[in-house]
Amino acid sequence: MLEPLNEGFLSRISDVLLCGWTCRHCCQRCYESSCCQSSEDEVEILGPFPAQTPPWLIASRSNDKDGDSVHTASDVPLTPRTNSPDGRRSSSDTSKSTYSLTRRISSLDSRRPSSPLIDIKPIEFGVLSAKKEPIQPSVLRRAYTPDDYFRKFEPRLYSLDSNLDDVDSLTDEEIMSKYQLGMLHFSTQYDLLHNHLTVRVIEARDLPPPISHDGSRQDMAHSNPYVKICLLPDQKNSKQTGVKRKTQKPVFEERYTFEIPFLEAQRRTLLLTVVDFDKFSRHCVIGKVAVPLCEVDLVKGGHWWKALIPSSQNEVELGELLLSLNYLPSAGRLNVDIIRAKQLLQTDVSQGSDPFVKIQLVHGLKLVKTKKTSFLRGTIDPFYNESFSFKVPQEELENASLVFTVFGHNMKSSNDFIGRIVIGQYSSGPSESNHWRRMLNTHRTAVEQWHSLRSRAECDRVSPASLEVT
């Protein structure tokens, strides 16, 4: 009965001594012992000393070795450790070690007037609960508003005509004095009874003289202008006036109709492009006029003089060609249908063009066979509907290429080159390669596709088969 009594008495005295200094359970300064309240994650300290002693306590222990030898007689003398028969410490030894630890901490605290507070929350001595949440430092970031985000963008850098951003704020006189590209006279009116839009190209004036970079232009004093009309965003179904020879003040007086519903017409933009015809090179764009149809009264109609502004497209397109390919493996025949073409480059000033298509079969880098369609007079939108067949064994199909070249027929001199594409092993572009793969994957089925014509130089640069033909 004596040992339990002494143990309870010593622990009570230690509680009295520690209540205003340091908690005896975690060695942390706390007057109310709130740090040792019960929680979900309990900290277990093994033995009378903590498993990980703070560095400042270890340093102080080394400094206090000499101090322990000069204790007064009032200190508790050290007695040899006696173990119980079962190998456990007696209760008196535990009480003495606890009392010794109390005196050591008290003496250290008296010698350290401003002992730092030790926060051991990040230190894990031994977590009984399996639930652990990693502590990640929070990074302070600035909250961006949508206005701050879009303020970084400069729309002029993403505009096709970056130098024309201020055109909308200028009058026609200011645009004319700034660019000096001339003016265009035209009119529009919508017919509600027949559901079509009529565009009338009347005349142009003060057009600039032609520019020839390669010196092929013979007459540098006059232009050969014509106008292309389309309703954006559809540029494929465009119209084209006739070419007016050697004049800077052409008079066109031509009307064109577009079959389009009224509500759809109000969402379109009328684009008029003035082009300079050159027989020996690609045609050059002089300028353009763009009119959003939602800003005009289509039913009432009207006519305007508009100043031309520069265009991002310096050269006009060469036209498009509609083809159909079909391969019969059993017969070893490659069938080609030339269906139609549209918006071909005009090669004759007075009559438009007399276009025809030449088809040439190239095996590897060797020209094998040449065929051609008939030519149609005075049109840039010819309909051919002509079929051709080439004998190509199946084992040679992968090495075959078809070269399609559109010419303008000329009785007095050599034919005028309009455009070219290559389909097959040495295709001239992604569209042509896609058409060839579709044909290989669907034998005995005709595969149709539109193709945009390319220049001779462009085809020669990307396709070796184009170099083998004339």
Side-chain angles (χ1 to χ4, degrees):
M1 295 299 294
L2 182 59
E3 290 183 358
L5 179 61
N6 294 336
E7 180 182 0
F9 179 74
L10 291 176
S11 62
R12 186 173 301 176
I13 291 177
S14 63
D15 289 338
V16 173
L17 293 175
L18 295 174
C19 65
W21 298 92
T22 308
C23 180
R24 66 186 179 93
H25 292 291
C26 61
C27 299
Q28 180 179 358
R29 291 180 61 90
C30 181
Y31 291 93
E32 297 178 359
S33 296
S34 59
C35 59
C36 296
Q37 298 296 330
S38 59
S39 60
E40 295 181 1
D41 298 340
E42 297 181 357
V43 179
E44 179 183 11
I45 302 178
L46 304 178
F49 297 97
Q52 296 182 1
T53 308
W56 64 269
L57 184 56
I58 297 175
S60 300
R61 282 183 181 179
S62 61
N63 296 333
D64 293 340
K65 287 182 178 180
D66 298 335
D68 293 342
S69 60
V70 294
H71 284 310
T72 60
S74 62
D75 293 341
V76 179
L78 296 176
T79 58
R81 184 179 302 175
T82 58
N83 297 337
S84 60
D86 57 354
R88 299 182 180 178
R89 290 185 178 183
S90 63
S91 60
S92 60
D93 293 340
T94 305
S95 302
K96 291 178 180 180
S97 62
T98 305
Y99 184 71
S100 177
L101 174 61
T102 302
R103 289 184 59 84
R104 284 177 178 272
I105 296 176
S106 300
S107 62
L108 291 173
D109 188 72
S110 62
R111 278 177 272 179
R112 300 172 63 94
S114 59
S115 179
L117 297 178
I118 304 174
D119 187 6
I120 61 173
K121 291 182 179 180
I123 305 175
E124 296 183 3
F125 292 97
V127 182
L128 300 179
S129 176
K131 181 180 178 181
K132 297 182 181 180
E133 296 182 359
I135 301 176
Q136 298 292 339
S138 60
V139 180
L140 297 178
R141 297 181 179 179
R142 178 184 174 185
Y144 288 94
T145 61
D147 295 337
D148 295 335
Y149 182 78
F150 289 104
R151 194 177 293 117
K152 296 180 180 180
F153 291 95
E154 298 184 18
R156 63 182 183 83
L157 299 179
Y158 303 93
S159 176
L160 293 178
D161 301 328
S162 58
N163 57 339
L164 305 177
D165 294 334
D166 57 345
V167 169
D168 295 337
S169 60
L170 300 178
T171 63
D172 288 332
E173 290 76 11
E174 294 173 340
I175 296 176
M176 183 64 186
S177 61
K178 180 177 181 179
Y179 299 109
Q180 298 181 358
L181 296 177
M183 301 191 72
L184 182 64
H185 190 196
F186 62 96
S187 67
T188 61
Q189 188 171 17
Y190 191 85
D191 189 347
L192 292 174
L193 182 62
H194 299 91
N195 291 329
H196 65 253
L197 176 67
T198 301
V199 179
R200 176 188 173 201
V201 182
I202 304 173
E203 60 179 327
R205 70 184 184 192
D206 301 329
L207 297 180
I211 299 176
S212 179
H213 299 284
D214 54 1
S216 60
R217 188 65 176 262
Q218 296 178 0
D219 185 3
M220 299 299 297
H222 300 90
S223 300
N224 301 317
Y226 65 94
V227 181
K228 296 189 68 173
I229 310 103
C230 66
L231 298 179
L232 297 178
D234 182 14
Q235 300 189 41
K236 301 298 182 181
N237 299 320
S238 60
K239 311 292 183 179
Q240 180 176 314
T241 68
V243 179
K244 303 303 176 180
R245 300 187 59 182
K246 298 182 179 181
T247 178
Q248 309 306 117
K249 299 179 180 180
V251 178
F252 298 100
E253 284 295 345
E254 299 183 25
R255 298 174 182 266
Y256 300 93
T257 59
F258 294 87
E259 302 291 337
I260 184 173
F262 179 74
L263 295 179
E264 180 64 22
Q266 288 183 317
R267 291 192 288 264
R268 299 294 186 92
T269 298
L270 175 63
L271 178 63
L272 302 169
T273 307
V274 182
V275 187
D276 182 19
F277 173 85
D278 189 352
K279 182 177 181 179
F280 300 100
S281 64
R282 301 192 69 167
H283 303 180
C284 297
V285 177
I286 299 176
K288 69 176 183 180
V289 173
V291 180
L293 296 181
C294 61
E295 299 179 359
V296 301
D297 189 347
L298 294 179
V299 178
K300 182 179 179 180
H303 60 90
W304 304 270
W305 277 99
K306 289 290 184 180
L308 297 174
I309 62 175
S311 175
S312 59
Q313 183 181 0
N314 295 327
E315 297 178 346
V316 297
E317 296 181 354
L318 302 178
E320 292 184 281
L321 185 64
L322 179 60
L323 305 174
S324 175
L325 301 179
N326 179 21
Y327 183 73
L328 302 176
S330 57
R333 307 294 298 186
L334 177 59
N335 299 324
V336 179
D337 294 337
I338 309 295
I339 303 175
R340 58 168 297 195
K342 66 179 181 180
Q343 295 302 308
L344 296 179
L345 187 68
Q346 190 166 340
T347 58
D348 195 314
V349 175
S350 58
Q351 297 182 358
S353 295
D354 300 333
F356 68 94
V357 183
K358 180 186 290 187
I359 310 101
Q360 296 169 294
L361 175 64
V362 178
H363 183 265
L365 295 178
K366 181 180 179 181
L367 179 61
V368 178
K369 194 74 173 179
T370 299
K371 298 182 179 182
K372 62 181 179 179
T373 66
S374 58
F375 66 91
L376 302 179
R377 294 186 178 276
T379 180
I380 59 174
D381 300 305
F383 284 83
Y384 295 103
N385 290 323
E386 299 185 23
S387 300
F388 304 90
S389 182
F390 299 90
K391 184 173 181 58
V392 181
Q394 189 170 3
E395 60 272 12
E396 299 179 1
L397 184 61
E398 295 182 355
N399 299 326
S401 299
L402 290 172
V403 181
F404 299 87
T405 307
V406 182
F407 290 95
H409 182 71
N410 195 327
M411 296 292 295
K412 300 180 180 179
S413 61
S414 60
N415 297 324
D416 301 318
F417 178 88
I418 296 178
R420 172 180 292 176
I421 60 170
V422 183
I423 300 178
Q425 181 187 14
Y426 301 110
S427 296
S428 54
S431 176
E432 293 84 342
S433 299
N434 181 48
H435 195 180
W436 184 256
R437 285 195 302 269
R438 289 171 56 199
M439 184 207 68
L440 295 178
N441 296 332
T442 56
H443 289 170
R444 303 180 181 86
T445 303
V447 181
E448 295 184 6
Q449 185 171 324
W450 280 99
H451 296 278
S452 297
L453 297 176
R454 306 174 186 269
S455 65
R456 189 196 304 268
E458 183 179 358
C459 291
D460 292 346
R461 185 172 61 254
V462 299
S463 176
S466 178
L467 297 172
E468 303 300 322
V469 300
T470 56

